[in-house]
């Protein structure tokens, strides 16, 4: 958390709120928490008070004008707060001041001296540094003179500020103003508005910081949760494009798909979109991503908006993917919820809270198209953009599945999310030869060279395989048509090879015959050569002998003469 110089701030201990306010509530100053009935004002105030007493060594006083102390104790006990123990330890003091408007009458000036005395006693009892007044309307409900109200409200706020108390005062939402009196927000240093709205029969809670003197703060509405873990806020609207990237590769769990990418596998922290019609294999492929992460010893979260955990585990077993073992060992966290169970903001808040708690390396949302019935397209796109940015900021790999209702216009999605994705895998069903066959296209993979070939997507009990289709007659054939064409091609190849063998044998025969003829001719040549040599040798001998005889004759003639 960034620390800013200026006014002091007291941490509330409320998850997300201290980050949103850059430190918490203004120390020693009054804060007004207003909203309609049931929006969580009392819970917010009591969480602030009890966290301070339990975790920050700041004792507190809770002044209630409506609920009895026993009701307050019961209400927060389910959230893990042992108020009775804190009271016994002298860290919390509960003060119930009952005011019945029917027993009061506005006569002359009205002052709060009696209230100040009781507050002083309670503060001194525990050495309080924090105080909650719940709710202020009960204190002034019987009086209608605006001048008296304004004076006494300001006097109350000034008295609390002079005591140096970090204060929360709760107030009911007024008609056309933040509070019923319309005065408290002007004298408060910090004003927090809680809202509980219902749209299309879906409720959502949102928080907005209307005013915060002396400091910067978030101004957007943010969702907050009230559940078994208490009050939590998720300030997710301020995420930007400053996330880091990784060159590390991770496997999809499908060897053939990894091989379609240069270097093998996707970059860690990549956002991957799997889109396709029903039955095209989106959930199976996304489960493969999650299972591969678990096999590497990493954590994975699978958010399902259509199937229960048992149904998914059973279905994935049929293709050789055992998710149950990963769930049992704590590496896979499966969260199933109907998209209409929460509003879009609440779904986002719940998912982000689960991600922060579990700290997975990969997150699967299956399918994101289920949210189209819970809001308008811009709202859904905004929600998913926040999710993408949040996961990227954490370096978490994300897999989103999207159900297409038609294969016409396959390069578009209902929520316009494809442009936000780093990788896009398109899964289709093709009718060829009277049967449907699955096909996979890797349309996009930012930062990676990848195959542009269509692959046949085959699932069996041995897992997922991607087969290169047979390209014939200018089209890609899959399924039995591919098998038939490949069989025909194999037969043609066998025949071709047999013909080649026959031709080779005929050529060899002709060659052997030619070689035999050449050998016979060579024998004749050799015989002629021998005969020629004999004639030549005889001629040479004849000439040599003739020359010798001639010499002898000449010699004898010279002697006789």
């Amino acid at each position: 958390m960034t620390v800013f110089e200026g006014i002091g701030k007291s941490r509330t201990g409320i998850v997300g709120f201290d980050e949103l306010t850059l430190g918490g509530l203004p120390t020693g100053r009054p804060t007004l928490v207003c909203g309609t009935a049931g929006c969580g004002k009392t819970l917010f105030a009591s969480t602030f008070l009890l966290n301070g007493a339990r975790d920050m060594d700041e004792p507190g006083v809770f002044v209630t004008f409506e609920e009895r102390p026993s009701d307050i104790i019961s209400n927060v006990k389910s959230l893990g707060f042992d108020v009775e123990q804190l009271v016994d330890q002298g860290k919390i003091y509960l003060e119930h001041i009952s005011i019945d408007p029917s027993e009061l009458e506005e006569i002359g000036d009205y002052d709060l001296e009696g209230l100040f005395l009781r507050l002083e006693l309670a503060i001194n009892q525990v050495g309080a540094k924090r105080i909650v007044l719940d709710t202020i309307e009960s204190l002034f409900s019987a009086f209608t003179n605006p001048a008296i109200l304004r004076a006494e409200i300001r006097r109350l706020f000034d008295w609390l500020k002079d005591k140096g108390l970090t204060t929360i005062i709760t107030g009911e939402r007024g008609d056309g103003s933040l509070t019923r009196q319309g005065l408290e927000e002007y004298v408060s240093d910090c004003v927090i508005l809680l809202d509980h709205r219902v749209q299309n029969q879906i409720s959502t809670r949102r928080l907005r910081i209307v005013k915060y003197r002396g400091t910067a703060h978030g101004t957007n509405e943010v969702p907050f949760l009230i559940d078994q873990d208490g009050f939590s806020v998720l300030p997710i609207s301020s995420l930007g494009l400053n996330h880091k990237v990784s060159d590390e590769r991770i496997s999809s769990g499908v060897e053939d798909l990894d091989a379609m990418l240069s270097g093998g596998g996707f970059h860690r922290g990549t956002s991957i979109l799997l889109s396709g019609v029903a039955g095209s294999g989106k959930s199976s492929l996304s489960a493969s991503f999650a299972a591969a992460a678990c096999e590497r010893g990493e954590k994975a979260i699978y958010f399902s908006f259509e199937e229960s955990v048992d149904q998914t585990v059973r279905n994935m077993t049929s293709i050789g993917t055992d998710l149950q073992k990963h769930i049992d060992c704590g590496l896979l966290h499966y969260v199933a919820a109907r998209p209409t169970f929460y509003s879009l903001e609440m779904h986002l808040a719940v998912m982000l809270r689960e991600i922060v708690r579990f700290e997975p390396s990969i997150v699967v949302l299956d399918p994101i198209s289920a949210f189209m019935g819970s809001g308008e397209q811009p709202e859904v796109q905004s929600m998913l953009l926040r999710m993408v940015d949040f996961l990227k900021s954490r370096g978490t790999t994300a897999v989103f599945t999207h159900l297409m209702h038609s294969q016409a216009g396959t390069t578009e999605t209902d929520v316009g999310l494809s442009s936000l994705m780093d990788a896009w895998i398109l899964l289709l069903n093709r009718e060829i030869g009277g049967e449907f066959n699955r096909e996979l296209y890797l349309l996009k993979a930012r930062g990676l060279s990848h195959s542009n070939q269509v692959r046949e997507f085959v699932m069996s009990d041995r897992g997922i395989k991607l087969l290169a289709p047979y390209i014939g007659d200018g089209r890609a054939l899959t399924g039995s048509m591919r098998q038939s064409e490949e069989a025909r091609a194999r037969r043609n190849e066998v025949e071709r090879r047999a013909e080649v063998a026959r031709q080779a044998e005929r050529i060899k025969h002709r060659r052997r015959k030619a070689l035999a003829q050449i050998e016979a001719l060579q024998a004749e040549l050799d015989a002629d050569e021998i005969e020629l040599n004999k004639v030549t040798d005889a001629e040479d001998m004849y000439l040599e002998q003739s020359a010798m005889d001639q010499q002898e004759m000449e010699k004898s003639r010279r002697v006789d003469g």
Side-chain angles (χ1 to χ4, degrees):
M1 184 190 308
T2 304
V3 178
F4 291 86
E5 296 182 359
I7 66 171
K9 295 186 179 182
S10 298
R11 292 186 296 114
T12 64
I14 296 174
V15 175
F17 181 80
D18 293 338
E19 288 77 10
L20 182 66
T21 54
L22 306 177
L25 298 180
T27 301
R29 300 188 183 191
T31 295
L32 175 66
V33 179
C34 53
T36 56
C39 65
K41 301 183 299 296
T42 301
L43 181 60
F44 181 96
S46 58
T47 303
F48 153 80
L49 192 72
L50 296 171
N51 280 333
R54 185 184 64 179
D55 304 327
M56 305 164 198
D57 195 26
E58 293 190 5
V61 173
F62 194 104
V63 182
T64 172
F65 300 103
E66 293 180 345
E67 294 186 89
R68 295 173 298 177
S70 59
D71 295 331
I72 300 292
I73 293 173
S74 299
N75 292 343
V76 299
K77 193 169 186 178
S78 62
L79 305 179
F81 290 108
D82 190 346
V83 180
E84 293 175 321
Q85 183 181 8
L86 293 174
V87 171
D88 294 339
Q89 294 173 350
K91 295 183 177 181
I92 289 292
Y93 190 90
L94 300 177
E95 179 72 17
H96 181 220
I97 300 177
S98 178
I99 298 177
D100 188 350
S102 64
E103 298 177 357
L104 300 176
E105 183 177 358
E106 186 176 8
I107 301 175
D109 293 337
Y110 171 66
D111 63 54
L112 300 175
E113 286 299 332
L115 174 65
F116 293 158
L117 290 174
R118 295 188 65 172
L119 294 181
E120 183 94 38
L121 179 62
I123 292 167
N124 293 335
Q125 191 78 16
V126 294
K129 296 182 179 180
R130 302 186 178 198
I131 188 170
V132 169
L133 276 65
D134 184 40
T135 65
I136 196 170
E137 281 78 21
S138 300
L139 188 60
F140 300 105
S141 59
F143 304 94
T144 57
N145 188 321
I148 294 176
L149 282 174
R150 182 180 293 273
E152 291 304 308
I153 288 174
R154 181 175 294 279
R155 185 180 174 207
L156 172 63
F157 279 55
D158 288 342
W159 186 87
L160 294 168
K161 188 180 293 187
D162 290 340
K163 291 293 182 180
L165 295 170
T166 305
T167 306
I168 285 184
I169 299 173
T170 65
E172 294 289 340
R173 185 77 181 267
D175 185 11
S177 61
L178 292 177
T179 60
R180 289 183 183 177
Q181 311 300 340
L183 304 173
E184 300 92 322
E185 57 263 39
Y186 294 103
V187 293
S188 299
D189 288 82
C190 179
V191 178
I192 298 169
L193 176 62
L194 304 182
D195 181 41
H196 187 195
R197 67 190 70 168
V198 178
Q199 186 175 6
N200 296 329
Q201 300 180 343
I202 300 175
S203 67
T204 183
R205 290 184 169 93
R206 295 180 181 176
L207 176 149
R208 180 167 65 93
I209 301 174
V210 179
K211 169 184 174 183
Y212 201 142
R213 288 174 178 158
T215 182
H217 59 87
T219 57
N220 293 337
E221 279 191 331
V222 295
F224 68 90
L225 301 179
I226 297 178
D227 57 12
Q228 68 273 11
D229 296 320
F231 198 108
S232 59
V233 179
L234 287 154
I236 53 180
S237 301
S238 60
L239 297 171
L241 293 174
N242 55 354
H243 50 269
K244 297 180 180 179
V245 297
S246 172
D247 291 327
E248 182 185 354
R249 299 296 188 89
I250 61 171
S251 173
S252 64
V254 179
E255 184 178 350
D256 298 325
L257 177 57
D258 295 340
M260 294 179 69
L261 298 153
S262 62
F266 295 88
H267 284 136
R268 183 177 295 278
T270 293
S271 297
I272 304 167
L273 176 64
L274 309 179
S275 60
V277 295
S280 57
K282 302 180 300 299
S283 297
S284 299
L285 188 53
S286 62
S288 177
F289 273 93
C294 295
E295 292 291 346
R296 296 191 297 269
E298 301 172 4
K299 292 181 179 179
I301 285 185
Y302 196 112
F303 292 106
S304 174
F305 307 106
E306 290 184 341
E307 296 182 344
S308 67
V309 57
D310 292 337
Q311 187 176 3
T312 299
V313 168
R314 181 201 64 188
N315 294 346
M316 294 306 107
T317 301
S318 66
I319 61 169
T321 302
D322 186 1
L323 297 181
Q324 188 62 53
K325 68 176 182 180
H326 302 309
I327 295 174
D328 293 341
C329 69
L331 289 177
L332 178 60
H333 182 38
Y334 194 99
V335 181
R338 285 293 182 189
T340 55
F341 190 73
Y342 297 122
S343 65
L344 290 175
E345 293 282 4
M346 290 298 288
H347 266 297
L348 181 60
V350 169
M351 288 189 289
L352 297 192
R353 185 187 63 183
E354 293 294 328
I355 292 169
V356 170
R357 284 180 178 173
F358 195 66
E359 296 185 345
S361 66
I362 185 170
V363 174
V364 175
L365 271 69
D366 180 31
I368 57 176
S369 48
F371 293 112
M372 288 304 298
S374 302
E376 299 297 329
Q377 178 173 333
E379 295 176 341
V380 177
Q381 188 171 10
S382 175
M383 168 209 170
L384 295 173
L385 174 60
R386 292 181 181 183
M387 173 62 80
V388 170
D389 280 344
F390 177 79
L391 294 174
K392 282 184 175 295
S393 69
R394 297 174 64 90
T396 303
T397 306
V399 178
F400 302 86
T401 71
H402 174 262
L403 174 64
M404 300 189 309
H405 302 290
S406 170
Q407 295 190 160
T410 53
T411 56
E412 298 179 0
T413 58
D414 294 340
V415 293
L417 190 63
S418 58
S419 61
L420 306 178
M421 297 291 106
D422 298 310
W424 186 6
I425 298 173
L426 180 62
L427 301 169
L428 299 177
N429 284 340
R430 295 289 190 190
E431 190 279 324
I432 301 177
E435 66 180 16
F436 276 104
N437 296 296
R438 300 180 179 91
E439 296 177 357
L440 181 146
Y441 301 79
L442 185 53
L443 295 183
K444 178 171 71 172
R446 288 174 178 160
L448 294 173
S449 298
H450 58 90
S451 172
N452 64 351
Q453 291 183 340
V454 59
R455 298 296 177 90
E456 185 175 357
F457 186 87
V458 178
M459 293 183 289
S460 68
D461 56 0
R462 296 184 299 275
I464 297 174
K465 296 291 184 183
L466 301 182
L467 308 178
Y470 182 84
I471 307 299
D473 299 329
R475 57 175 181 164
L477 303 178
T478 59
S480 60
M481 292 290 289
R482 172 182 57 80
Q483 295 173 356
S484 175
E485 189 64 21
E486 288 178 342
R488 186 186 66 80
R490 285 193 296 270
R491 290 194 300 270
N492 291 341
E493 181 66 13
V494 170
E495 292 176 0
R496 186 187 67 81
R497 290 182 179 180
E499 180 61 25
V500 168
R502 287 192 295 270
Q503 292 288 349
E505 187 61 32
R506 285 197 293 268
I507 291 172
K508 289 179 181 179
H509 178 71
R510 288 200 300 269
R511 185 179 181 186
R512 287 194 297 268
K513 183 178 179 180
L515 289 173
Q517 292 174 347
I518 292 173
E519 186 176 356
L521 292 174
Q522 186 65 46
E524 292 180 6
L525 289 173
D526 292 342
D528 290 343
E529 181 69 20
I530 293 171
E531 185 176 355
L532 177 61
N533 290 336
K534 289 180 178 180
V535 171
T536 302
D537 291 342
E539 180 64 18
D540 291 339
M541 291 176 63
Y542 174 80
L543 293 175
E544 183 180 357
Q545 186 62 44
S546 295
M548 292 174 62
D549 291 344
Q550 184 67 29
Q551 292 176 358
E552 285 294 332
M553 289 177 64
E554 290 178 355
K555 183 187 293 186
S556 64
R557 287 175 182 169
R558 286 194 296 268
V559 173
D560 293 341

